[in-house]
Amino acid sequence: MVNSGYSIGLMQSIYQLFPDYFSRQKINIPESNNHTPDLLDEMQFNLDWMLTMQDPEDGGVYHKLTTPFFEGFVKPVDCKQQRYVVQKSVTAALDFAAVMAQSSRLFASYEEDYPGFSKRALLAAEKAYAWAEKHPGAYYNQNLLNQKYQPAIATGEYGDTHADDEFFWAASELYFSTGKEIYREEAIKKAPQIYTAPGWGNTFALGIFAWLQPGRELNEADRRFADSLKTELLKYADKVIEGAEQTPFHAPYGNDAKDFFWGCLAEKCMNQGVSLMYAYLLTGKDVYLTNAYRNMDYILGRNATGFCYVTGLGTKSPKHPHHRLSVSDDIEDPIPGFLVGGPNPGQQDGAFYPTASPDESYVDTEDSYASNEVAINWNAALVALASSLDALAVYSVK
C-alpha cells in the first residue's frame, strides 16, 4: 500500500500541473473514449483496489496483500499460492488518506464516468487519517509478525518507522480537499525543515508539491508557509545542479558513488529531475529545466554503460529485465516502456557483474533483481518526469 500510494500520489501530482496535456493523451486503453483523461482512468484502476484494503469498520488500512513467497516466473493464471491481507499500519493509512483526498479533487469533474467516487474517496480519507491519529505507532514489522503468525511472509516488507512525512502529506491533501483548520494545523506541525526528493519511504515532497501547486489560491498565512517550503526546494535544486557542467555526462546525477544503489535511477535520478522541474515552474529559470533534461538524458543512454535503461527504446536497452510478465508472456522482447532499477554496487542478487564500479554495476539478466528489476514506484517516477518534460516541450512550441 505504501508503494502503491506513493506511486499514485506522484503521478496525480504531475497530472495537476498539466491537466490540458493529459486530457489530450490517448494511450489506447479500454477507457480511452470516455470523458476522463487516460492517466486518471489508470489511476482509478489502482484506487479501486486501494479502497478494498480499508477496514470499513474502523478506517484502518492493511499494509499489503501478499503471497507468503514470491511467485516464480510464470503467467498470472499459473500463480497458485494463497494470498493474505496483512496488518494495518499507520503508514498505509496515511498514504491512503493522502491519495484519496487528492483523488477526490481530481475526479470531482468526472462524475459521469465515476459517479460518487469523489465523495466516497474523501470520506475514506478522513476515516483513515482518524485511524492513524489513534494508532501513531502502528508500524509494519514483518519479522515480528513472522514470530507470531504462520505462514511466514518473505516478500518485500516496505517497513518504515517514521511517519511524520506521511502525516504531513496526508494532512496537506486533506486541508486542500476539506478546508478544515485542523488539517492545516497538523500539516504545519509536521512540516519538514529541509527538502528531500520524493520516495515511497519519504513523502515530504509530495506534501510540498500540494502546497506549491501553481494557481492555488492561498491566504496570507498559508502563502508565507508555502514560501518557506519553496525556499527549501530551491536550496535543494541549487545544490543539485552545482558543478553539473563539469561532470563527465553533464548531468546533476551520477557523479558520486552514493548515487548508485537499489532502484537509484528512479529514487534519485528521476525524482531529482522531478524536483528540478518543480524548481523551474516556480522560478522560470531555465537552468533547472536544462538539468532535469540532463537527468533524462542519463536514463536514455548518456551514461557509463551506454544503456538506455527503458525497455524497448534506443539501440541498446534491457532485453532481460527481472519482470515476471515480460518473461512469461511467450514473447521474446520485454514489455516496452519500463524503467529498470539501474547500477547497484551492492549486487545483492548474486548475479555475475562484469565490474564493481558503481556507475557500471549493472547486468541485463533476469536474475539480477538488484539492478534489472521493474517496480511500480520506479516507473511512476519515469511517468512523472517524462510527462512533465514532454508537456513543457509542447507548451514551449506553442
Side-chain angles (χ1 to χ4, degrees):
M1 279 296 293
V2 295
N3 207 19
S4 191
Y6 156 75
S7 300
I8 298 297
L10 177 60
M11 288 188 283
Q12 290 189 157
S13 295
I14 298 302
Y15 172 86
Q16 292 177 94
L17 296 176
F18 308 107
D20 292 340
Y21 168 81
F22 286 109
S23 69
R24 295 195 301 269
Q25 280 194 327
K26 300 295 180 184
I27 57 175
N28 194 28
I29 59 175
E31 300 87 358
S32 285
N33 293 320
N34 67 7
H35 301 87
T36 306
D38 285 359
L39 182 68
L40 292 187
D41 284 320
E42 286 295 282
M43 300 304 99
Q44 179 66 213
F45 191 86
N46 198 90
L47 291 166
D48 279 346
W49 171 73
M50 293 178 73
L51 285 168
T52 70
M53 293 289 282
Q54 183 176 42
D55 185 337
E57 296 299 320
D58 64 9
V61 179
Y62 291 94
H63 192 77
K64 65 178 183 175
L65 171 67
T66 185
T67 54
F69 298 93
F70 288 112
E71 290 282 0
F73 283 75
V74 297
K75 293 181 173 66
V77 70
D78 296 322
C79 296
K80 304 299 184 183
Q81 288 189 69
Q82 178 66 48
R83 296 191 297 171
Y84 297 87
V85 173
V86 187
Q87 189 195 337
K88 300 168 192 172
S89 76
V90 61
T91 50
L94 290 169
D95 283 348
F96 174 95
V99 165
M100 288 300 163
Q102 184 186 50
S103 62
S104 72
R105 301 193 304 273
L106 300 185
F107 282 88
S109 300
Y110 301 105
E111 282 288 310
E112 185 172 354
D113 293 327
Y114 301 104
F117 173 77
S118 179
K119 182 178 180 181
R120 181 187 177 196
L122 188 55
L123 290 172
E126 292 204 86
K127 198 168 185 179
Y129 191 90
W131 185 93
E133 287 189 307
K134 294 176 183 176
H135 304 85
Y139 299 113
Y140 183 76
N141 186 324
Q142 194 156 281
N143 289 332
L144 186 61
L145 285 175
N146 287 343
Q147 294 172 19
K148 296 181 178 180
Y149 304 106
Q150 293 294 324
I153 303 298
T155 54
E157 180 176 19
Y158 288 91
D160 183 359
T161 57
H162 302 280
D164 280 0
D165 52 320
E166 287 88 358
F167 267 112
F168 171 69
W169 179 31
S172 298
E173 298 289 2
L174 279 164
Y175 174 52
F176 292 120
S177 293
T178 68
K180 294 180 180 179
E181 185 68 18
I182 184 62
Y183 294 126
R184 176 188 181 276
E185 293 173 0
E186 287 300 309
I188 291 175
K189 187 186 303 183
K190 299 292 187 181
Q193 299 303 306
I194 60 172
Y195 178 87
T196 48
W200 73 262
N202 188 334
T203 60
F204 273 130
L206 298 183
I208 291 173
F209 295 164
W211 282 92
L212 300 181
Q213 177 68 33
R216 172 156 282 155
E217 294 186 8
L218 300 174
N219 61 39
E220 185 177 347
D222 286 352
R223 173 55 58 195
R224 288 197 300 270
F225 177 63
D227 284 345
S228 69
L229 299 176
K230 173 182 173 180
T231 296
E232 293 306 315
L233 190 157
L234 295 180
K235 285 181 183 177
Y236 167 90
D238 288 337
K239 184 176 182 180
V240 163
I241 65 175
E242 186 176 351
E245 291 281 356
Q246 287 75 47
T247 62
F249 300 106
H250 282 205
Y253 172 79
N255 306 300
D256 190 305
K258 294 179 182 179
D259 285 348
F260 301 97
F261 50 87
W262 200 320
C264 59
L265 294 183
E267 296 292 322
K268 190 157 191 182
C269 185
M270 289 287 90
N271 286 334
Q272 193 180 80
V274 168
S275 304
L276 291 171
M277 183 273 302
Y278 266 94
Y280 167 74
L281 292 177
L282 292 168
T283 65
K285 293 183 178 179
D286 288 339
V287 65
Y288 298 129
L289 183 60
T290 296
N291 280 285
Y293 273 110
R294 286 171 169 172
N295 273 17
M296 181 60 76
D297 288 342
Y298 193 97
I299 293 292
L300 297 180
R302 198 165 73 181
N303 56 60
T305 68
F307 265 92
C308 168
Y309 288 114
V310 182
T311 59
L313 294 181
T315 57
K316 182 183 179 182
S317 62
K319 296 290 187 181
H320 309 285
H322 185 88
H323 182 236
R324 285 159 176 78
L325 291 175
S326 290
V327 174
S328 66
D329 64 3
D330 298 325
I331 298 172
E332 182 176 356
D333 288 336
I335 297 172
F338 283 137
L339 174 68
V340 298
N344 177 10
Q347 302 182 3
Q348 296 90 339
D349 46 40
F352 173 76
Y353 287 74
T355 176
S357 178
D359 61 351
E360 298 179 60
S361 192
Y362 168 78
V363 59
D364 181 23
T365 60
E366 292 165 13
D367 57 344
S368 180
Y369 52 81
S371 77
N372 208 32
E373 187 179 17
V374 170
I376 183 175
N377 54 314
W378 302 344
N379 285 277
L382 174 64
V383 168
L385 185 56
S387 297
S388 299
L389 297 180
D390 191 41
L392 288 168
V394 170
Y395 293 152
S396 67
V397 168
K398 287 185 175 182

